[in-house]
Amino acid sequence: MSQGIDFNVAGVCPAILTGLEMVAGLNDPQTKQTPVGATLALSQPENQSAEILSVYGGNKTGTIKEVRVKYLPRVTKDLIKDTADCVAGDPQTYVEDTTLLDIYKQYDIALGMDEIRVFCEEASTAVAGLPVPYNLKEVSKRILSAMNAIRTSINDDVVTKLKNSFGINATTGVATTTSIPVIHTTGTTGIVSGAPIWTGIQTIQSDFSENELYGTPIIIGKGNFEKFDLGTNKYGLQANGVDFANISQDYKFFVDKAVNTIIGANQLVVMGEGAAQFMSWNKYVGKYAGTFGGATLFTIPDPLIPNLMYDAKFEFDTCTDTFLLRLSINAGVYVIPTDAYGTYDDLAGSNGLLRYTATAV
């Protein structure tokens, strides 16, 4: 107890969670969430358990901020013998790689003593389906707004890392972008302007196969491809017999404005499952969570990104008579290195991360 306020995880954390769950306001400027497709895509379950990866210390307690990853290069045809002998071949050995969790974000929220007292009281009496109490709503909106800003800043760093990590496309032999037509700009007979073009996604799927990627293509971007994606859900069966309504089942598309601004207009990040993954690390977990002196340490889940938890530090400032809620996070991105395949491998230089430019023709 401190200053008459319930100053522990049992009182503060549930109040915050209750407020975040009850405050919707999707078009309220203070609670509107910016699309962060890259971070969301890299946080999907299929990108958290890549088959060739063993991640150590990804989200454990303690002080580590580095992730060690090991992978085994696959055997290539140049190592296969054409004649019988008794000489042992060269065994493939594991290669160890490290990834620093070098993304750090922090934001401080100041809350008055009266605000936090009423906030906790309202959270304990709030009822789902009824109007959200005023103070609970206002404080929760400030927390949601801070989370949106942190998440958006994280996502900019994630997109920047992807921009610098494209591997070779086995189809083209280079890591530079491949242009693909996705929508019509001028109407032709039987097709209106803006109608989707099948050729672009066909190229992606063909390249996916050539790069020996399995599973569902994951596509991140905005612009022309977003229009294509919207068109495939609206046009239905076309005169040429293609049912565009079913195309979206063949890929997963994540909208991200940062790709347009950081990588380039109408650019697309296309990746195989597990080619890149988002990792975060929390310091206020296990024996490091709880009340220490005048501060309470715990974690708060992000409402949009799966498994993303913010470290939360809640303490009282005796100088200003205010409570300080500090949200912070350590995070990083792991991308399969471009030397994961041996020199004689058909996929030498590739890593499952491909780049495209969606064009309108």
Side-chain angles (χ1 to χ4, degrees):
M1 301 291 288
S2 176
Q3 305 296 331
I5 304 298
D6 189 358
F7 194 66
N8 55 41
V9 176
V12 177
C13 189
I16 292 175
L17 296 179
T18 298
L20 297 182
E21 290 173 357
M22 294 190 68
V23 177
L26 296 180
N27 286 308
D28 184 323
Q30 201 170 1
T31 58
K32 186 178 294 185
Q33 306 298 294
T34 302
V36 287
T39 305
L40 184 59
L42 269 59
S43 299
Q44 296 303 301
E46 62 266 33
N47 291 325
Q48 293 293 303
S49 57
E51 185 174 349
I52 67 168
L53 303 181
S54 294
V55 181
Y56 297 92
N59 206 23
K60 306 297 183 182
T61 61
T63 59
I64 56 172
K65 297 182 183 178
E66 181 181 273
V67 178
R68 296 194 312 275
V69 181
K70 67 176 183 179
Y71 59 91
L72 182 66
R74 69 176 182 177
V75 176
T76 52
K77 59 187 178 183
D78 64 293
L79 299 177
I80 303 301
K81 299 177 181 180
D82 295 321
T83 58
D85 63 32
C86 297
V87 180
D90 295 329
Q92 293 292 87
T93 58
Y94 276 93
V95 177
E96 186 171 293
D97 192 14
T98 59
T99 295
L100 292 177
L101 300 184
D102 55 356
I103 298 175
Y104 178 79
K105 305 296 177 184
Q106 174 185 309
Y107 187 79
D108 299 332
I109 305 171
L111 301 167
M113 185 184 295
D114 289 339
E115 279 186 306
I116 202 65
R117 179 186 292 113
V118 177
F119 176 70
C120 291
E121 290 175 354
E122 290 184 346
S124 65
T125 59
V127 178
L130 296 180
V132 182
Y134 176 79
N135 190 270
L136 179 64
K137 179 170 64 176
E138 291 304 306
V139 173
S140 299
K141 285 165 62 176
R142 287 162 64 183
I143 296 173
L144 282 171
S145 181
M147 286 182 171
N148 181 65
I150 294 174
R151 189 189 313 116
T152 305
S153 181
I154 290 174
N155 191 68
D156 283 352
D157 290 346
V158 170
V159 173
T160 299
K161 288 180 179 294
L162 293 178
K163 176 184 179 180
N164 299 321
S165 302
F166 288 107
I168 288 175
N169 185 332
T171 302
T172 62
V174 295
T176 51
T177 188
T178 298
S179 294
I180 53 172
V182 295
I183 58 172
H184 289 274
T185 54
T186 57
T188 58
T189 303
I191 302 179
V192 299
S193 177
I197 298 175
W198 172 255
T199 309
I201 190 65
Q202 186 181 57
T203 297
I204 289 177
Q205 291 171 327
S206 176
D207 288 356
F208 212 70
S209 174
E210 184 68 19
N211 283 270
E212 299 183 29
L213 297 171
Y214 303 97
T216 304
I218 298 168
I219 304 173
I220 310 166
K222 195 170 169 57
N224 287 333
F225 193 85
E226 182 182 22
K227 296 175 182 177
F228 163 82
D229 184 65
L230 293 170
T232 61
N233 292 319
K234 292 182 178 179
Y235 280 83
L237 191 64
Q238 300 295 290
N240 58 7
V242 177
D243 187 357
F244 285 103
N246 289 322
I247 296 176
S248 61
Q249 298 176 5
D250 299 328
Y251 62 85
K252 295 180 180 179
F253 178 52
F254 295 84
V255 177
D256 196 325
K257 295 188 290 186
V259 173
N260 260 13
T261 57
I262 295 175
I263 300 181
N266 296 308
Q267 296 292 293
L268 297 175
V269 176
V270 178
M271 56 179 280
E273 295 178 0
Q277 58 189 69
F278 176 76
M279 300 175 293
S280 60
W281 175 83
N282 291 112
K283 54 187 176 182
Y284 300 151
V285 292
K287 64 182 179 181
Y288 301 101
T291 299
F292 301 87
T296 298
L297 312 177
F298 55 104
T299 56
I300 305 176
D302 185 275
L304 184 62
I305 305 298
N307 302 317
L308 173 58
M309 304 286 289
Y310 297 103
D311 286 312
K313 182 178 182 181
F314 189 68
E315 59 185 335
F316 184 69
D317 186 338
T318 57
C319 180
T320 60
D321 284 348
T322 59
F323 287 96
L324 177 68
L325 175 62
R326 170 170 294 166
L327 302 179
S328 63
I329 184 66
N330 289 276
V333 176
Y334 178 75
V335 181
I336 293 177
T338 54
D339 62 356
Y341 296 98
T343 305
Y344 293 96
D345 198 301
D346 293 338
L347 297 181
S350 69
N351 63 354
L353 201 63
L354 309 174
R355 181 175 179 178
Y356 294 88
T357 302
T359 63
V361 296

